[in-house]
Amino acid sequence: MSKDIEIFDNRLIILYILQNAKRPLTINQIVTFCEEFDDITYIDICSYIDSLKKSNYIYEIYEDENVLYSPTETGINTLNELLELIPGVDLYNIKKIINKNDVEVKTEYSINTNIIPIKSDEYKVSCYIKDGNDEMINITMYAGTKEQAKNISVHWSENAEEIYTKLLKLMTSDKDND
């Protein structure tokens, strides 16, 4: 296989990982996903990330002192069109690696809620994401009933990463460039 085709395939692999990881990833997290590929090094990943950014297939999210990467709509559309170009065996292996390493990456984050009774049938629900000891987000919401508080807690647990990513994008986007 020529070097140009290998680089093209590896960029598709990185884009595929970013789309299927269900959350923005740091370079180190991407490296974790790629550990089992003998031909993809840390330096290669940095190069692929730079190339994907320049092509507007991914964007950066600045969070505390971390830089996270997530696919753009253009990146997702391009990946969907080119996905058949990733050899079938590699795609199978990539899916297997993503499932295996997703647990390891996910454990770096803690997603949880606290339901705090205020008075009879009034509650506050504190929804948060922590990265180690650092709190990435904490949203406290009012709930009029115990059932509503439980629903908020369940929905946060199921959708926290998506909510956080959307909120971060809305809060950091430049309205003039939209």
Side-chain angles (χ1 to χ4, degrees), residues 118-132:
I118 301 172
K119 49 185 165 179
S120 173
D121 241 10
E122 288 185 26
Y123 301 86
K124 286 195 301 187
V125 183
S126 178
C127 306
Y128 60 88
I129 300 176
K130 288 185 178 181
D131 184 8

Side-chain angles (χ1 to χ4, degrees), residues 33 36-37 93-102:
F33 280 104
E36 296 180 35
F37 292 100
N93 287 335
I94 294 166
K95 287 178 183 178
K96 199 165 93 175
I97 289 167
I98 287 174
N99 290 336
K100 176 183 164 208
N101 291 333
D102 192 40

Side-chain angles (χ1 to χ4, degrees), residues 14 32 54 56 74 92 98 136 147 156:
I14 300 298
T32 299
K54 286 179 182 173
N56 294 318
T74 302
Y92 172 76
I98 287 174
M136 296 168 49
E147 188 65 30
W156 176 258

Side-chain angles (χ1 to χ4, degrees), residues 131-149:
D131 184 8
N133 291 329
D134 297 325
E135 196 167 70
M136 296 168 49
I137 188 170
N138 187 338
I139 299 172
T140 302
M141 302 179 72
Y142 173 82
T145 65
K146 188 173 188 173
E147 188 65 30
Q148 190 178 37

Side-chain angles (χ1 to χ4, degrees), residues 69-131:
Y69 300 95
S70 189
T72 63
E73 190 172 326
T74 302
I76 292 169
N77 292 337
T78 302
L79 177 65
N80 290 336
E81 290 176 20
L82 298 176
L83 198 56
E84 64 192 41
L85 299 176
I86 297 176
V89 173
D90 284 346
L91 192 56
Y92 172 76
N93 287 335
I94 294 166
K95 287 178 183 178
K96 199 165 93 175
I97 289 167
I98 287 174
N99 290 336
K100 176 183 164 208
N101 291 333
D102 192 40
V103 173
E104 186 175 321
V105 170
K106 190 177 257 185
T107 59
E108 294 179 22
Y109 294 94
S110 169
I111 297 170
N112 213 337
T113 58
N114 288 326
I115 299 175
I116 306 158
I118 301 172
K119 49 185 165 179
S120 173
D121 241 10
E122 288 185 26
Y123 301 86
K124 286 195 301 187
V125 183
S126 178
C127 306
Y128 60 88
I129 300 176
K130 288 185 178 181
D131 184 8

